[in-house]
Amino acid sequence: MTFSQLEYANKRKVARRDRFLAEMERVVPWAELVQVVRPFYYQEAGRGRGHPPGPLERMLRLYFQQQWFALADEALEDAVYDSQAFRGFLGIDLLRVSVPDATTLVKFRRLLEADDLGQRLLERVNALLRARGRLLSQGTLVDATIVAAPSSTKNAKRQRDPEMHQTREGNQRYFGMKAHIGADRASGAVHSVHCTAANVADISATGHLLHGEEKQVFADAGYLGAEKRSELKDRQIHWYIAAKRSQVKALPEGQIKDLTRALEWRKAQVRSRVEHPFHIVKNLFGHKKVRYKGLKKDSVQWSVLFALANLYLLRKPLLAWSQARCAHMPGAGRKGGVVSPK
């Protein structure tokens, strides 16, 4: 170890970033995710583009760090140079290995976008959760969130992103995209992601959010009438869609209104679990705005973000499973609380 590494390893306080990265080291199924990207990653050398820029797992770790901490390409490169925690997570010793630059990260991200690997990474994570009993198929929660995009025309082409659109929610207007998700009723983990422009109605994306095995669907009032759509009317599903507040408020006072309120409260209690992935991605990971131009690029990123959000959401049972698996190994397990990346 170098003197700086030795000094860092023996510091008295364990920072939140260190604990978060230590947890993600154990929670993320690195070997399985590497296998998803490997066939596409090593094809680059056969296309006349030179050798791969570095070890695949290191590039995947670097890309995940960018998503966890909402850093731009150049900012991430600087952060790796500045942070021993980042370098330790990547397995980089500056005396022996150089830090991948921003251009290398851009090429890796474009590889994921070209082959639509974001969805495949999400599917592999969900397959792991399903194998460990954390992703069931009894019910689905559907919802959508608006992600703001730059509305300024002060750029080279003097125009906004043509794939983003304006919409109104209440008295507020937004310009950007929508991330539609279908989440597991029991765990809240996201199993389906569909990105559209912001002006696309929530109900029109419902068919993309169901995996086909659910018996129940919970949704807010924006999905009223979903069961009558041509692609959904033949499915054997019990729909629990919230009533409009104005309709409940218009009911006369009495037993019927009280029962209706109790029913709506119960549906909202179940449906609230779908907000947790949005909270993780927007508030903990810090992705409140669109980062890239074009829906395809953003769709790949948000599929990866929700895959990482699933692992973070279910980190406690996954860490317990990892600890139980390694219970008989010498030196297994790490101490430290569960924290957010920030």
Side-chain angles (χ1 to χ4, degrees):
M1 299 178 68
T2 63
F3 287 109
S4 61
Q5 291 173 333
L6 184 62
E7 181 183 17
Y8 186 82
N10 288 277
K11 68 183 187 302
R12 293 187 176 183
K13 180 179 179 180
V14 179
R16 294 172 60 187
R17 177 181 292 181
D18 294 298
R19 283 188 285 165
F20 171 79
L21 292 176
E23 291 169 357
M24 294 301 103
E25 174 72 36
R26 298 166 57 192
V27 166
V28 176
W30 297 108
E32 289 84 352
L33 299 186
V34 164
Q35 291 301 321
V36 173
V37 185
R38 185 183 300 277
F40 306 91
Y41 187 70
Y42 289 105
Q43 286 179 2
E44 295 300 305
R47 296 176 181 173
R49 302 180 185 177
H51 295 287
L56 173 54
E57 184 173 332
R58 179 175 296 159
M59 294 304 303
L60 196 62
R61 287 170 179 264
L62 187 69
Y63 179 70
F64 285 177
Q65 279 184 337
Q66 184 180 43
Q67 307 312 315
W68 285 325
F69 298 95
L71 295 172
D73 301 325
E74 292 80 3
L76 178 61
E77 182 184 355
D78 294 340
V80 175
Y81 276 110
D82 292 339
S83 173
Q84 179 62 45
F86 275 21
R87 294 196 300 272
F89 185 78
L90 297 173
I92 290 179
D93 181 357
L94 292 179
L95 295 177
R96 302 177 181 179
V97 181
S98 60
V99 176
D101 58 15
T103 303
T104 302
L105 181 60
V106 170
K107 291 180 180 179
F108 182 77
R109 186 176 67 246
R110 288 176 179 174
L111 171 68
L112 300 181
E113 295 165 356
D115 296 293
D116 196 18
L117 296 183
Q119 183 63 30
R120 299 193 187 194
L121 292 172
L122 175 62
E123 292 172 356
R124 183 60 62 91
V125 168
N126 288 340
L128 172 71
L129 298 177
R130 191 174 294 107
R132 297 181 184 176
R134 298 298 170 182
L135 193 65
L136 307 178
S137 58
Q138 299 301 316
T140 291
L141 316 173
V142 297
D143 203 357
T145 187
I146 298 174
V147 187
S151 58
S152 174
T153 58
K154 295 180 180 180
N155 50 56
K157 295 185 178 180
R158 298 188 178 278
Q159 63 180 10
R160 301 187 297 184
D161 187 345
E163 297 185 23
M164 305 294 167
H165 289 278
Q166 183 171 288
T167 188
R168 187 176 69 179
E169 191 174 83
N171 295 325
Q172 185 69 34
R173 291 188 176 275
Y174 300 91
F175 177 80
M177 57 168 271
K178 271 186 183 179
H180 307 260
I181 65 170
D184 180 56
R185 176 190 173 182
S187 64
V190 177
H191 58 71
S192 303
V193 179
H194 184 63
C195 295
T196 65
N199 63 338
V200 175
D202 295 354
I203 191 174
S204 64
T206 310
H208 298 279
L209 307 179
L210 307 182
H211 52 67
E213 299 179 7
E214 56 269 299
K215 304 300 181 183
Q216 302 171 336
V217 174
F218 291 81
D220 59 28
Y223 295 85
L224 283 171
E227 69 279 4
K228 300 177 183 179
R229 297 180 66 87
S230 58
E231 68 272 19
L232 300 172
K233 63 181 181 180
D234 295 329
R235 298 195 183 186
Q236 301 299 320
I237 296 175
H238 295 284
W239 297 85
Y240 297 93
I241 301 178
K244 293 184 178 180
R245 292 184 180 181
S246 58
Q247 295 177 346
V248 178
K249 189 176 181 180
L251 292 174
E253 296 294 335
Q255 185 177 9
I256 295 179
K257 188 172 185 178
D258 293 339
L259 291 175
T260 302
R261 284 178 173 174
L263 177 62
E264 293 302 315
W265 179 85
R266 177 56 181 164
K267 289 191 290 186
Q269 188 179 38
V270 176
R271 195 176 65 251
S272 64
R273 192 180 293 270
V274 77
E275 300 293 342
H276 296 177
F278 291 141
H279 167 66
I280 293 172
V281 172
K282 284 191 166 185
N283 298 328
L284 299 185
F285 293 172
H287 294 272
K288 296 184 178 181
K289 295 183 178 181
V290 171
R291 182 172 290 274
Y292 308 115
K293 190 172 183 178
L295 279 176
K296 182 178 180 180
K297 295 180 180 180
D298 292 304
S299 296
V300 171
Q301 184 199 21
W302 280 77
S303 295
V304 174
L305 284 171
F306 283 118
L308 297 176
N310 286 350
L311 294 171
Y312 183 83
L313 182 66
L314 300 175
R315 63 195 181 279
K316 289 185 178 180
L318 291 176
L319 286 171
W321 181 89
S322 177
Q323 185 175 2
R325 183 184 181 188
C326 301
H328 301 291
M329 297 182 181
R334 298 184 183 180
K335 295 182 180 180
V338 177
V339 294
S340 70
K342 304 298 188 293

